[in-house]
Amino acid sequence: MSTMNLARREGSLLGDSMTMFGRSLKLSMRSPEAIFMALIVPAVLMVVFVYVFGGAMDVGGYSVVNFIVPGIILQTIGQGMPAIAVRVNSDMTKGIVDRFRTMPIAKSSILVGHAFATLVQSAITVAATIGAALLVGFRPSAGLIEWLMIAGILVLYIFMMAWLAVVSGVHAKESESAAGLMSMIGILPFLSSGFVPTETMPWALRVFAENQPMTPIINTMRALMLDQPLPDGALRAAILWCVGLTVVFYGMALAIYQRKTRR
């Protein structure tokens, strides 16, 4: 086989990933339930936490809505991840991947396409969440630079979660298992500084909350949204958590995918 034919057979990772991105995005758009949840869940969570729980929440000198918006954003992003894991698992278990393997495409492009489609879907969810927050009284004071930093952090966070969902999808033997793992991960924003200050928590829970990825991400976003000084080390910790875990999950996803597709 000539070098040109071999290169053609392996495919272009970028081009093939964009093709798979379009495919994954179309699949997600064909699920009206997912679109409905992405738009409605943020509004429901805002109403519940601001108007039902808000009067009983002690968030220091903040208004409740200003305090909880970063946590709600991460929570709503996480709630979309089980659907990503199910779509990846469906590709793995229903023969689609076997068909793609016979085509001259980059092998990892299938997974990369799912990850990039997740970014677009999550961006819609974030926009819906911020819109709902504004309606119930959220009043950020961030400038352009702060919003750009927030956007950058969210992109890193979404990719981290997307690759975890891909790992869950390629590893699980059935869609229920893939979705179940991501649903469990979805509770982490509640066990962080997203809804109450960690100082109000029992000691053991406080130690966990202050040393898991969600807390520095939330603290950084909250400070940027409200134009306050960044907590010491929070931005660095947020970036390191997101980038480090993305690399780990990406490597795990490719390793599991390659092992399963060799069979």
Side-chain angles (χ1 to χ4, degrees):
M1 183 180 293
S2 68
T3 303
M4 182 177 296
N5 288 336
L6 180 60
R8 186 179 295 122
R9 183 174 180 79
E10 289 301 320
S12 163
L13 177 59
L14 179 59
D16 294 341
S17 295
M18 290 301 98
T19 300
M20 292 300 169
F21 159 75
R23 169 185 174 268
S24 182
L25 204 57
K26 288 178 181 178
L27 287 174
S28 66
M29 293 298 106
R30 292 174 184 171
S31 174
E33 297 86 358
I35 298 173
F36 178 79
M37 293 295 289
L39 297 176
I40 297 301
V41 167
V44 172
L45 287 176
M46 283 296 169
V47 168
V48 168
F49 277 95
V50 173
Y51 295 120
V52 178
F53 300 145
M57 294 174 64
D58 179 8
V59 294
Y62 299 90
S63 70
V64 170
V65 64
N66 283 351
F67 187 87
I68 68 172
V69 166
I72 295 287
I73 289 175
L74 298 199
Q75 180 65 30
T76 53
I77 290 172
Q79 287 183 337
M81 294 302 156
I84 308 301
V86 168
R87 282 201 292 273
V88 174
N89 183 261
S90 179
D91 282 353
M92 294 294 297
T93 58
K94 294 185 178 179
I96 300 298
V97 167
D98 292 333
R99 293 177 61 185
F100 285 147
R101 288 172 61 199
T102 66
M103 301 169 65
I105 62 174
K107 296 179 177 63
S108 62
S109 64
I110 302 169
L111 306 184
V112 175
H114 280 295
F116 275 94
T118 303
L119 179 61
V120 174
Q121 297 162 50
S122 297
I124 296 172
T125 299
V126 170
T129 303
I130 294 176
L134 291 171
L135 290 176
V136 298
F138 177 48
R139 296 296 179 263
S141 50
L144 176 61
I145 299 300
E146 287 79 12
W147 280 114
L148 289 175
M149 292 175 67
I150 292 166
I153 292 169
L154 285 174
V155 167
L156 294 177
Y157 175 76
I158 291 166
F159 273 126
M160 177 187 77
M161 294 295 290
W163 280 108
L164 177 57
V166 171
V167 169
S168 180
V170 297
H171 176 70
K173 295 182 179 179
E174 54 188 20
S175 59
E176 290 81 3
S177 299
L181 173 60
M182 294 311 300
S183 296
M184 292 176 60
I185 297 297
I187 69 171
L188 285 180
F190 291 115
L191 305 178
S192 72
S193 62
F195 299 94
V196 294
T198 56
E199 293 81 5
T200 66
M201 299 177 180
W203 176 81
L205 184 56
R206 176 180 176 179
V207 170
F208 174 80
E210 292 179 347
N211 292 279
Q212 59 121 323
M214 305 297 172
T215 292
I217 296 171
I218 288 170
N219 288 346
T220 299
M221 289 175 57
R222 183 181 292 126
L224 290 171
M225 286 179 175
L226 303 179
D227 195 21
Q228 296 179 345
L230 288 170
D232 290 341
L235 177 60
R236 180 175 64 252
I239 293 173
L240 288 176
W241 271 116
C242 290
V243 173
L245 288 176
T246 298
V247 172
V248 170
F249 296 148
Y250 175 78
M252 289 175 63
L254 287 188
I256 297 170
Y257 176 78
Q258 290 173 356
R259 173 171 56 82
K260 287 197 170 185
T261 53
R262 282 198 213 103
R263 298 174 180 173

